[in-house]
mmCIF file of all heavy atoms in Angstrom:
data_model
loop_
_atom_site.group_PDB
_atom_site.id
_atom_site.type_symbol
_atom_site.label_atom_id
_atom_site.label_comp_id
_atom_site.label_asym_id
_atom_site.label_seq_id
_atom_site.Cartn_x
_atom_site.Cartn_y
_atom_site.Cartn_z
ATOM 1 N N ASP P 1335 0.852 -1.187 0.000
ATOM 2 C CA ASP P 1335 0.000 0.000 0.000
ATOM 3 C C ASP P 1335 0.893 1.245 0.000
ATOM 4 O O ASP P 1335 1.690 1.436 0.912
ATOM 5 C CB ASP P 1335 -0.884 -0.022 1.248
ATOM 6 C CG ASP P 1335 -1.884 1.134 1.275
ATOM 7 O OD1 ASP P 1335 -1.690 2.114 0.537
ATOM 8 O OD2 ASP P 1335 -2.843 1.051 2.058
ATOM 9 N N PRO P 1336 0.807 2.104 -1.013
ATOM 10 C CA PRO P 1336 1.678 3.291 -1.082
ATOM 11 C C PRO P 1336 1.623 4.161 0.167
ATOM 12 O O PRO P 1336 2.603 4.818 0.513
ATOM 13 C CB PRO P 1336 1.149 4.039 -2.316
ATOM 14 C CG PRO P 1336 0.522 2.979 -3.157
ATOM 15 C CD PRO P 1336 -0.066 1.998 -2.191
ATOM 16 N N ARG P 1337 0.472 4.162 0.837
ATOM 17 C CA ARG P 1337 0.367 4.967 2.059
ATOM 18 C C ARG P 1337 1.297 4.456 3.146
ATOM 19 O O ARG P 1337 1.786 5.226 3.972
ATOM 20 C CB ARG P 1337 -1.084 4.964 2.558
ATOM 21 C CG ARG P 1337 -2.052 5.705 1.644
ATOM 22 C CD ARG P 1337 -3.483 5.473 2.066
ATOM 23 N NE ARG P 1337 -3.853 4.055 1.953
ATOM 24 C CZ ARG P 1337 -5.059 3.567 2.248
ATOM 25 N NH1 ARG P 1337 -6.013 4.403 2.657
ATOM 26 N NH2 ARG P 1337 -5.313 2.286 2.119
ATOM 27 N N LYS P 1338 1.554 3.162 3.159
ATOM 28 C CA LYS P 1338 2.457 2.591 4.160
ATOM 29 C C LYS P 1338 3.917 2.843 3.808
ATOM 30 O O LYS P 1338 4.793 2.740 4.652
ATOM 31 C CB LYS P 1338 2.203 1.078 4.306
ATOM 32 C CG LYS P 1338 0.824 0.739 4.857
ATOM 33 C CD LYS P 1338 0.662 -0.758 5.053
ATOM 34 C CE LYS P 1338 -0.718 -1.101 5.596
ATOM 35 N NZ LYS P 1338 -0.946 -0.546 6.949
ATOM 36 N N LEU P 1339 4.183 3.131 2.542
ATOM 37 C CA LEU P 1339 5.558 3.384 2.093
ATOM 38 C C LEU P 1339 5.883 4.869 2.040
ATOM 39 O O LEU P 1339 6.991 5.246 1.643
ATOM 40 C CB LEU P 1339 5.782 2.767 0.708
ATOM 41 C CG LEU P 1339 5.720 1.240 0.615
ATOM 42 C CD1 LEU P 1339 5.881 0.804 -0.836
ATOM 43 C CD2 LEU P 1339 6.799 0.594 1.481
ATOM 44 N N ALA P 1340 4.923 5.703 2.443
ATOM 45 C CA ALA P 1340 5.120 7.147 2.319
ATOM 46 C C ALA P 1340 6.323 7.638 3.111
ATOM 47 O O ALA P 1340 6.982 8.614 2.726
ATOM 48 C CB ALA P 1340 3.859 7.885 2.782
ATOM 49 N N GLY P 1341 6.648 6.956 4.208
ATOM 50 C CA GLY P 1341 7.789 7.384 5.022
ATOM 51 C C GLY P 1341 9.123 6.899 4.501
ATOM 52 O O GLY P 1341 10.165 7.210 5.088
ATOM 53 N N ASN P 1342 9.124 6.122 3.421
ATOM 54 C CA ASN P 1342 10.363 5.591 2.850
ATOM 55 C C ASN P 1342 10.407 5.966 1.367
ATOM 56 O O ASN P 1342 9.994 5.189 0.507
ATOM 57 C CB ASN P 1342 10.418 4.066 3.030
ATOM 58 C CG ASN P 1342 11.797 3.507 2.762
ATOM 59 O OD1 ASN P 1342 12.586 4.085 2.020
ATOM 60 N ND2 ASN P 1342 12.102 2.368 3.362
ATOM 61 N N PRO P 1343 10.909 7.161 1.052
ATOM 62 C CA PRO P 1343 10.845 7.652 -0.330
ATOM 63 C C PRO P 1343 11.563 6.767 -1.337
ATOM 64 O O PRO P 1343 11.140 6.684 -2.494
ATOM 65 C CB PRO P 1343 11.497 9.043 -0.238
ATOM 66 C CG PRO P 1343 12.300 9.032 1.020
ATOM 67 C CD PRO P 1343 11.569 8.124 1.954
ATOM 68 N N VAL P 1344 12.640 6.118 -0.926
ATOM 69 C CA VAL P 1344 13.399 5.285 -1.867
ATOM 70 C C VAL P 1344 12.559 4.092 -2.324
ATOM 71 O O VAL P 1344 12.436 3.811 -3.524
ATOM 72 C CB VAL P 1344 14.713 4.800 -1.213
ATOM 73 C CG1 VAL P 1344 15.424 3.812 -2.132
ATOM 74 C CG2 VAL P 1344 15.627 5.984 -0.922
ATOM 75 N N ILE P 1345 11.950 3.388 -1.382
ATOM 76 C CA ILE P 1345 11.162 2.211 -1.735
ATOM 77 C C ILE P 1345 9.850 2.626 -2.398
ATOM 78 O O ILE P 1345 9.355 1.937 -3.302
ATOM 79 C CB ILE P 1345 10.900 1.345 -0.484
ATOM 80 C CG1 ILE P 1345 12.237 0.927 0.141
ATOM 81 C CG2 ILE P 1345 10.087 0.118 -0.829
ATOM 82 C CD1 ILE P 1345 13.166 0.187 -0.801
ATOM 83 N N LEU P 1346 9.291 3.757 -1.984
ATOM 84 C CA LEU P 1346 8.083 4.252 -2.649
ATOM 85 C C LEU P 1346 8.381 4.554 -4.119
ATOM 86 O O LEU P 1346 7.586 4.220 -5.008
ATOM 87 C CB LEU P 1346 7.569 5.508 -1.937
ATOM 88 C CG LEU P 1346 6.333 6.181 -2.567
ATOM 89 C CD1 LEU P 1346 5.150 5.220 -2.580
ATOM 90 C CD2 LEU P 1346 5.986 7.465 -1.813
ATOM 91 N N THR P 1347 9.538 5.166 -4.390
ATOM 92 C CA THR P 1347 9.943 5.453 -5.770
ATOM 93 C C THR P 1347 10.107 4.150 -6.555
ATOM 94 O O THR P 1347 9.698 4.054 -7.720
ATOM 95 C CB THR P 1347 11.265 6.240 -5.783
ATOM 96 O OG1 THR P 1347 11.094 7.464 -5.060
ATOM 97 C CG2 THR P 1347 11.708 6.541 -7.198
ATOM 98 N N THR P 1348 10.695 3.150 -5.898
ATOM 99 C CA THR P 1348 10.872 1.849 -6.554
ATOM 100 C C THR P 1348 9.520 1.242 -6.913
ATOM 101 O O THR P 1348 9.354 0.668 -7.997
ATOM 102 C CB THR P 1348 11.641 0.887 -5.620
ATOM 103 O OG1 THR P 1348 12.875 1.487 -5.236
ATOM 104 C CG2 THR P 1348 11.911 -0.438 -6.311
ATOM 105 N N GLU P 1349 8.539 1.367 -6.037
ATOM 106 C CA GLU P 1349 7.212 0.820 -6.322
ATOM 107 C C GLU P 1349 6.564 1.559 -7.491
ATOM 108 O O GLU P 1349 5.914 0.939 -8.345
ATOM 109 C CB GLU P 1349 6.326 0.913 -5.087
ATOM 110 C CG GLU P 1349 4.944 0.280 -5.309
ATOM 111 C CD GLU P 1349 4.102 0.271 -4.054
ATOM 112 O OE1 GLU P 1349 3.943 1.348 -3.441
ATOM 113 O OE2 GLU P 1349 3.590 -0.803 -3.689
ATOM 114 N N ILE P 1350 6.726 2.867 -7.549
ATOM 115 C CA ILE P 1350 6.150 3.638 -8.657
ATOM 116 C C ILE P 1350 6.737 3.180 -9.992
ATOM 117 O O ILE P 1350 6.016 2.981 -10.976
ATOM 118 C CB ILE P 1350 6.394 5.146 -8.434
ATOM 119 C CG1 ILE P 1350 5.583 5.640 -7.222
ATOM 120 C CG2 ILE P 1350 6.021 5.938 -9.686
ATOM 121 C CD1 ILE P 1350 5.913 7.065 -6.815
ATOM 122 N N VAL P 1351 8.073 2.980 -10.000
ATOM 123 C CA VAL P 1351 8.722 2.508 -11.230
ATOM 124 C C VAL P 1351 8.258 1.093 -11.557
ATOM 125 O O VAL P 1351 8.059 0.736 -12.732
ATOM 126 C CB VAL P 1351 10.256 2.566 -11.077
ATOM 127 C CG1 VAL P 1351 10.935 1.948 -12.300
ATOM 128 C CG2 VAL P 1351 10.723 4.006 -10.896
ATOM 129 N N ALA P 1352 8.041 0.261 -10.518
ATOM 130 C CA ALA P 1352 7.553 -1.106 -10.745
ATOM 131 C C ALA P 1352 6.160 -1.080 -11.368
ATOM 132 O O ALA P 1352 5.844 -1.891 -12.257
ATOM 133 C CB ALA P 1352 7.531 -1.879 -9.427
ATOM 134 N N ILE P 1353 5.318 -0.148 -10.918
ATOM 135 C CA ILE P 1353 3.971 -0.013 -11.487
ATOM 136 C C ILE P 1353 4.063 0.386 -12.963
ATOM 137 O O ILE P 1353 3.371 -0.180 -13.828
ATOM 138 C CB ILE P 1353 3.156 1.028 -10.693
ATOM 139 C CG1 ILE P 1353 2.872 0.501 -9.275
ATOM 140 C CG2 ILE P 1353 1.841 1.350 -11.401
ATOM 141 C CD1 ILE P 1353 2.224 1.530 -8.364
ATOM 142 N N LEU P 1354 4.930 1.349 -13.246
ATOM 143 C CA LEU P 1354 5.106 1.792 -14.639
ATOM 144 C C LEU P 1354 5.655 0.661 -15.504
ATOM 145 O O LEU P 1354 5.240 0.489 -16.668
ATOM 146 C CB LEU P 1354 6.040 3.001 -14.689
ATOM 147 C CG LEU P 1354 5.520 4.281 -14.002
ATOM 148 C CD1 LEU P 1354 6.589 5.369 -14.030
ATOM 149 C CD2 LEU P 1354 4.242 4.767 -14.683
ATOM 150 N N ALA P 1355 6.594 -0.129 -14.945
ATOM 151 C CA ALA P 1355 7.157 -1.259 -15.698
ATOM 152 C C ALA P 1355 6.083 -2.308 -15.962
ATOM 153 O O ALA P 1355 6.049 -2.934 -17.035
ATOM 154 C CB ALA P 1355 8.317 -1.873 -14.924
ATOM 155 N N THR P 1356 5.204 -2.517 -14.991
ATOM 156 C CA THR P 1356 4.113 -3.482 -15.166
ATOM 157 C C THR P 1356 3.167 -3.020 -16.273
ATOM 158 O O THR P 1356 2.728 -3.810 -17.120
ATOM 159 C CB THR P 1356 3.337 -3.652 -13.846
ATOM 160 O OG1 THR P 1356 4.236 -4.058 -12.816
ATOM 161 C CG2 THR P 1356 2.244 -4.694 -13.986
ATOM 162 N N LEU P 1357 2.841 -1.732 -16.268
ATOM 163 C CA LEU P 1357 1.979 -1.182 -17.322
ATOM 164 C C LEU P 1357 2.646 -1.315 -18.688
ATOM 165 O O LEU P 1357 1.985 -1.619 -19.696
ATOM 166 C CB LEU P 1357 1.658 0.288 -17.017
ATOM 167 C CG LEU P 1357 0.796 0.542 -15.771
ATOM 168 C CD1 LEU P 1357 0.658 2.044 -15.526
ATOM 169 C CD2 LEU P 1357 -0.570 -0.100 -15.932
ATOM 170 N N SER P 1358 3.953 -1.094 -18.717
ATOM 171 C CA SER P 1358 4.702 -1.213 -19.976
ATOM 172 C C SER P 1358 4.670 -2.644 -20.486
ATOM 173 O O SER P 1358 4.493 -2.886 -21.689
ATOM 174 C CB SER P 1358 6.145 -0.749 -19.760
ATOM 175 O OG SER P 1358 6.912 -0.910 -20.930
ATOM 176 N N ALA P 1359 4.828 -3.601 -19.560
ATOM 177 C CA ALA P 1359 4.782 -5.009 -19.960
ATOM 178 C C ALA P 1359 3.393 -5.377 -20.467
ATOM 179 O O ALA P 1359 3.240 -6.098 -21.465
ATOM 180 C CB ALA P 1359 5.163 -5.891 -18.770
ATOM 181 N N GLY P 1360 2.368 -4.874 -19.755
ATOM 182 C CA GLY P 1360 1.001 -5.154 -20.200
ATOM 183 C C GLY P 1360 0.722 -4.576 -21.567
ATOM 184 O O GLY P 1360 0.051 -5.206 -22.414
ATOM 185 N N LEU P 1361 1.233 -3.376 -21.837
ATOM 186 C CA LEU P 1361 1.050 -2.735 -23.136
ATOM 187 C C LEU P 1361 1.748 -3.530 -24.231
ATOM 188 O O LEU P 1361 1.211 -3.698 -25.331
ATOM 189 C CB LEU P 1361 1.589 -1.304 -23.084
ATOM 190 C CG LEU P 1361 1.426 -0.468 -24.365
ATOM 191 C CD1 LEU P 1361 -0.065 -0.309 -24.705
ATOM 192 C CD2 LEU P 1361 2.085 0.901 -24.190
ATOM 193 N N ALA P 1362 2.956 -4.039 -23.916
ATOM 194 C CA ALA P 1362 3.694 -4.829 -24.904
ATOM 195 C C ALA P 1362 2.939 -6.110 -25.249
ATOM 196 O O ALA P 1362 2.885 -6.521 -26.416
ATOM 197 C CB ALA P 1362 5.082 -5.156 -24.357
ATOM 198 N N ILE P 1363 2.338 -6.724 -24.234
ATOM 199 C CA ILE P 1363 1.560 -7.949 -24.476
ATOM 200 C C ILE P 1363 0.340 -7.634 -25.337
ATOM 201 O O ILE P 1363 -0.001 -8.375 -26.267
ATOM 202 C CB ILE P 1363 1.131 -8.584 -23.131
ATOM 203 C CG1 ILE P 1363 2.368 -9.068 -22.370
ATOM 204 C CG2 ILE P 1363 0.152 -9.723 -23.353
ATOM 205 C CD1 ILE P 1363 2.061 -9.565 -20.971
#
C-alpha cells in the first residue's frame, strides 16, 4: 500500500517505477 511506504521515499519510488514497468509489460503484451 503506497500509504504505508510514504515514510520511505526510496522504496516508494521503486514501487512507482515497478507499477510503470508493469503497465509497460502489459502494453507490450
Side-chain angles (χ1 to χ4, degrees):
D1335 184 342
R1337 292 171 297 181
K1338 295 183 180 296
L1339 294 177
N1342 194 334
V1344 174
I1345 302 303
L1346 177 61
T1347 301
T1348 304
E1349 183 175 53
I1350 292 172
V1351 174
I1353 293 173
L1354 295 176
T1356 303
L1357 294 175
S1358 177
L1361 182 61
I1363 294 174

